[in-house]
Amino acid sequence: MQVTRRGLVTGAALGGGLFVAWWFLPRNYPNPLEPASGEYAFDAWIKIAEDSVITVAVPQLEMGQGITTLLPQIIAQELGADWRQIAVEPAPIAAAYPNVPLARRWSELWEPLGSGLSQTTDELLAQRFATAGRFTATADGTSLAAYEAPCREAAAAARAMLAAEAASRWNTSWEECEVAGGIVSWGDQSATFGELAAGAAERDPPDPPPLRTETPGADPSASPAVGASDPPPDFPRIDLPSKVDGSFTFASDVRLPGMVYAAIRHGPSTGSELTGFNEAGAANIRGIVGAVKTRRWLAVAATTWWSAERALDAMAPQFTASFPVNSDDIDARMDTLLTAGDSFKIAETGFGEAAMTRVDIARRYEIEPAHAAPLETASAAARYSDGRLELWIASQAPEQARAAAAKAVGLSTEDVALYPMPAGGSFDARLEHEHAIEIAHIAKSLGKPVQLTWRRREEMIGSRPRPPAYMLLGAQLSQGGNGAIDALKLRIATPPATHEFGRRLFGNLTPWAAIREASGRSDALACEGAVPPYELPSVTVRHIPVETGQPSGRVRGNGHSPAAFAIESFIDEIAALANREPLSFRMSMLGSDIRLAACLQRAASMAQWDGGADQSGQGIACHRIGDAESGARIACVATARQGEGGVRVTRLSAAVDIGRIINLDIARQQVEGGLLFGLGIALGNAVRMRGGLPTSFEYGDMGLPTLADCPEIEVDFIPSTAAPADPGEIGAVIAPPAIANALFSATGLRLRRLPLLSGGL
């Protein structure tokens, strides 16, 4: 659809055009960077100081994934800087850093009535929303898609401005100047960036910026895995030294003059209310500054956090749960609706649903809720003074957190200053912003700078796990008896978790109100990954929305994790039924996806794949996140062995194609970390609910892998010139099905519930 002035006017006459027309109005926004003394801002991304230090603004949350190295590396390479000159600062919340790809992907969450008009219109709406709404959320692996091009363009413009300043001094053209290693040179003339910065910053940036012909990237075939004897990477992580020596500052490290420390207690997250507490219980505890209560929680502030915690224990707050959730009840509801519930068709390929005239094999897979459970619990610092709130917090969606905090204390969003802090892990937990609302209330009520830290119990109560999913897979097989799939159908019973999450993030609803608004809606994003990468004659996916009463959200891997587990387990079962070797069976169905075929072949070679014969202990799986053109691919062979302590995963061999790789070391870290995350999902313990609360609040009870549990991990990357894809989730998605198939090979037992040992062997 072409957007025209006449079309907009016509739309206005029909009642919706004024909305569309407003979104399309052009706007200009000021540069948000404030240079310090001796610094010069070139644009919203780059400042250059007189000592040649180049400061790069990063608008994405650093939560261990290395984004504060990736974006500066892109700028350093395009600019021609020496890596040792690069410094980083969190970008302020501003319209200059819109995450348009994520806004487009989540368009149905922030404006369901305005999405789906046409590709062109949807792109324009997403651009306007992300820019006007200062939407810079860090999620779904969109950082490079959103920010690589702006970073390159900013650096190319700054390089040309530096060269133009030097050329004016040397009476030559800027195109004749060379820019490398932080120095501009021409013949025997040279000048540092710092010497040129003042004059260069006054120049008009070129339009379009003169990008270098080579794109940032690393050749994985020329770079072995990092080891003790290998040379250091060309672009080592900027945050690593300060994390090693302990000087890296998180929200829990912030110290303000006169600061007090708050602890908090929550009731069950399913509509609970605070009904009472023993106010006199904390009378003898030293250092108490004050208490703050709301309808749903009680907080105490003291001169030390431990004193505040002791006070809350002594006050023994009591809560009622309007909708006490029990895992057994959730299981029963999921079980009933999987086969009998109303469904929505959310995907259909090939000959469609009518192509399936019979079911030759059907299997059911059950996936328990998965919690993000980052090691760092929620923490924030705040100061309220003269009608303004300052907030130090790690947030994956900072503008949404800022708006929620402002609304909580009756301020306009412009009266809240949010200082972005890094997170010690997140796995999407910091997309939620309850603690921003809480600390805003506490800071305003006490009139003192305050720091709030949740203990592990509160983190578990406040967790928004990836929802449970019960999946029924059926296949119609070829009459030839070779196991070829003619038609595949998936029924997925799971809560509409993405809509629920969207109502919390963009609508600022309470968890229970969000559940009510999302109830009964089809949710394609909650079922993403359910269309397999295989070229099958017919695939149909149906979603059965289930209201469990337990708030759910986003966790690393999201819908791809249950989908990959069920599909790759089912493919293995069909191969076994037809007496087909699992690798060749998968290869026969890949069609034109030669990139995934290469991953399968490489992983098999790395692991010395033996065909997954009985009791060999090897299992194979593959998956793709994204479309056929730009998606990330992975194939993994897991090896399991039986020993005195039971079955143990001894090796994970993964071949990965994530397109053009910016930083090979960080990509490897992300895939390895994802594989270990998936190992925890596969072999850890499910968090069960009773009366709306977890049955255990202890981190150790989750059964996460320790160093002693970690298998040998080998990751190899397939060279590719495709657009960069995110490496952060692909490993977490593939590990569970590969491990499940390996356990079947090792024991002969087919485990169809995740975590795999949740029902025991």
Side-chain angles (χ1 to χ4, degrees):
M1 181 181 96
Q2 293 296 322
V3 179
T4 65
R5 183 177 183 275
R6 178 179 176 82
L8 292 178
V9 173
T10 302
L14 294 175
L18 288 177
F19 161 77
V20 176
W22 181 86
W23 279 106
F24 291 157
L25 290 175
R27 293 183 177 185
N28 294 317
Y29 300 94
N31 187 344
L33 288 190
E34 291 287 341
S37 176
E39 278 188 330
Y40 303 92
F42 280 69
D43 49 35
W45 295 92
I46 299 169
K47 296 186 294 185
I48 300 179
E50 293 172 351
D51 60 1
S52 292
V53 171
I54 303 157
T55 300
V56 177
V58 176
Q60 296 278 272
L61 174 65
E62 175 60 70
M63 47 188 174
Q65 85 279 36
I67 196 63
T68 50
T69 296
L70 284 175
L71 295 186
Q73 176 186 335
I74 291 167
I75 283 178
Q77 289 180 280
E78 185 66 49
L79 181 60
D82 189 311
W83 187 240
R84 294 168 295 182
Q85 296 175 276
I86 300 295
V88 175
E89 70 177 36
I93 300 173
Y97 313 103
N99 188 339
V100 178
L102 186 60
R104 174 69 185 90
R105 181 171 172 77
W106 286 358
S107 60
E108 194 175 355
L109 306 185
W110 49 264
E111 187 46 70
L113 297 179
S115 64
L117 299 175
S118 74
Q119 182 175 352
T120 301
T121 306
D122 289 352
E123 290 291 342
L124 289 170
L125 289 173
Q127 177 74 48
R128 175 59 67 204
F129 166 78
T131 305
R134 296 179 286 238
F135 180 69
T136 62
T138 310
D140 270 10
T142 54
S143 294
L144 287 178
Y147 298 113
E148 182 184 16
C151 283
R152 289 194 66 196
E153 290 168 359
R159 171 169 45 82
M161 293 159 72
L162 290 165
E165 175 64 19
S168 68
R169 299 181 185 185
W170 302 331
N171 195 27
T172 187
S173 66
W174 72 267
E175 292 91 347
E176 296 292 323
C177 297
E178 181 181 353
V179 185
I183 295 174
V184 181
S185 60
W186 176 67
D188 58 357
Q189 304 271 17
S190 66
T192 66
F193 284 4
E195 292 169 340
L196 299 169
E202 296 295 324
R203 294 181 172 272
D204 292 331
D207 186 16
L211 297 174
R212 296 183 187 271
T213 55
E214 67 275 13
T215 55
D219 180 5
S221 62
S223 303
V226 175
S229 60
D230 296 319
D234 293 333
F235 297 93
R237 289 186 63 144
I238 289 178
D239 56 339
L240 188 58
S242 57
K243 285 182 175 177
V244 171
D245 67 21
S247 61
F248 198 73
T249 303
F250 298 94
S252 58
D253 299 317
V254 171
R255 296 294 181 266
L256 302 171
M259 174 183 281
V260 296
Y261 303 86
I264 197 167
R265 291 290 183 274
H266 306 91
S269 59
T270 51
S272 64
E273 293 188 16
L274 178 66
T275 57
F277 56 92
N278 179 11
E279 190 170 355
N284 295 325
I285 297 176
R286 291 184 178 181
I288 302 301
V289 174
V292 180
K293 68 172 183 176
T294 69
R295 183 181 175 186
R296 303 193 183 280
W297 50 263
L298 174 68
V300 171
T303 53
T304 68
W305 182 84
W306 181 241
S307 295
E309 270 290 311
R310 289 179 58 213
L312 282 170
D313 286 339
M315 295 166 75
Q318 301 295 311
F319 298 88
T320 60
S322 303
F323 308 96
V325 172
N326 295 296
S327 290
D328 290 343
D329 296 335
I330 293 175
D331 291 344
R333 185 167 180 79
M334 298 281 290
D335 179 69
T336 300
L337 293 179
L338 178 62
T339 54
D342 294 334
S343 64
F344 297 87
K345 186 190 296 183
I346 60 172
E348 187 176 58
T349 67
F351 294 111
E353 193 168 21
M356 179 174 277
T357 58
R358 67 180 189 277
V359 177
D360 296 317
I361 177 174
R363 294 291 185 268
R364 164 178 163 153
Y365 303 90
E366 301 172 358
I367 296 91
E368 297 240 28
H371 292 252
L375 190 62
E376 180 193 40
T377 61
S379 181
R383 177 166 52 200
Y384 184 93
S385 178
D386 298 326
R388 290 185 58 82
L389 176 69
E390 294 176 281
L391 186 60
W392 289 260
I393 192 171
S395 174
Q396 289 179 247
E399 179 64 359
Q400 283 62 46
R402 184 168 80 123
K407 184 177 180 181
V409 292
L411 297 177
S412 70
T413 305
E414 302 306 319
D415 287 327
V416 177
L418 188 149
Y419 306 115
M421 305 298 295
S426 175
F427 316 123
D428 281 352
R430 298 302 164 243
L431 281 167
E432 308 289 346
H433 51 236
E434 280 90 346
H435 57 307
I437 295 171
E438 293 165 357
I439 198 169
H441 273 299
I442 296 168
K444 182 178 181 181
S445 297
L446 297 180
K448 294 178 177 293
V450 61
Q451 185 179 83
L452 171 67
T453 302
W454 288 7
R455 69 173 184 173
R456 179 59 55 184
R457 174 189 184 277
E458 310 311 314
E459 183 76 23
M460 293 301 295
I461 291 174
S463 175
R464 307 287 180 258
R466 188 182 66 226
Y470 278 27
M471 304 179 68
L472 186 62
L473 277 66
Q476 176 179 308
L477 305 181
S478 169
Q479 297 293 332
N482 62 355
I485 301 173
D486 285 341
L488 178 67
K489 185 173 182 178
L490 299 87
R491 283 177 60 88
I492 306 173
T494 191
T498 314
H499 292 302
E500 181 188 331
F501 156 75
R503 297 311 298 143
R504 291 197 303 270
L505 183 68
F506 297 111
N508 202 26
L509 297 188
T510 64
W512 189 250
I515 289 175
R516 290 197 302 268
E517 282 213 5
S519 180
R521 298 185 62 183
S522 66
D523 191 341
L525 280 178
C527 304
E528 60 182 347
V531 176
Y534 306 110
E535 290 190 7
L536 303 177
S538 168
V539 176
T540 306
V541 180
R542 284 190 167 273
H543 174 219
I544 305 146
V546 181
E547 185 177 307
T548 65
Q550 180 181 13
S552 55
R554 302 181 65 78
V555 173
R556 190 178 194 177
N558 295 299
H560 283 278
S561 286
F565 170 69
I567 291 169
E568 286 301 289
S569 296
F570 190 53
I571 294 297
D572 236 51
E573 296 208 48
I574 295 175
L577 181 69
N579 199 28
R580 295 284 301 274
E581 188 271 320
L583 171 61
S584 61
F585 184 55
R586 286 173 168 82
M587 293 286 288
S588 69
M589 296 185 292
L590 284 178
S592 61
D593 196 340
I594 59 175
R595 295 173 61 188
L596 187 52
C599 290
L600 276 166
Q601 291 175 326
R602 181 73 64 86
S605 175
M606 293 162 59
Q608 298 181 341
W609 170 253
D610 62 1
D614 289 346
Q615 297 188 341
S616 73
Q618 286 194 324
I620 195 167
C622 64
H623 192 67
R624 183 179 70 216
I625 295 181
D627 57 36
E629 289 73 31
S630 60
R633 280 104 164 146
I634 190 168
C636 179
V637 175
T639 303
R641 295 282 183 263
Q642 295 191 67
E644 294 181 0
V647 179
R648 178 184 177 86
V649 178
T650 60
R651 187 177 183 184
L652 294 172
S653 302
V656 186
D657 184 340
I658 54 170
R660 176 168 49 85
I661 299 172
I662 303 297
N663 187 303
L664 183 63
D665 192 33
I666 290 177
R668 191 181 306 280
Q669 293 166 15
Q670 284 290 284
V671 175
E672 290 176 348
L675 290 169
L676 288 178
F677 190 94
L679 178 71
I681 295 293
L683 301 180
N685 300 324
V687 177
R688 303 289 287 177
M689 303 293 290
R690 184 182 300 127
L693 294 172
T695 55
S696 173
F697 302 113
E698 299 300 324
Y699 205 59
D701 290 342
M702 297 185 70
L704 301 178
T706 65
L707 284 175
D709 301 318
C710 292
E712 178 186 353
I713 296 178
E714 184 180 11
V715 176
D716 203 2
F717 291 94
I718 307 294
S720 176
T721 58
D726 176 54
E729 301 192 348
I730 196 78
V733 166
I734 202 62
I739 292 170
N741 293 338
L743 293 181
F744 172 73
S745 174
T747 67
L749 296 175
R750 176 62 65 181
L751 303 174
R752 301 188 182 97
R753 188 175 179 91
L754 199 63
L756 296 172
L757 305 181
S758 55
L761 285 175

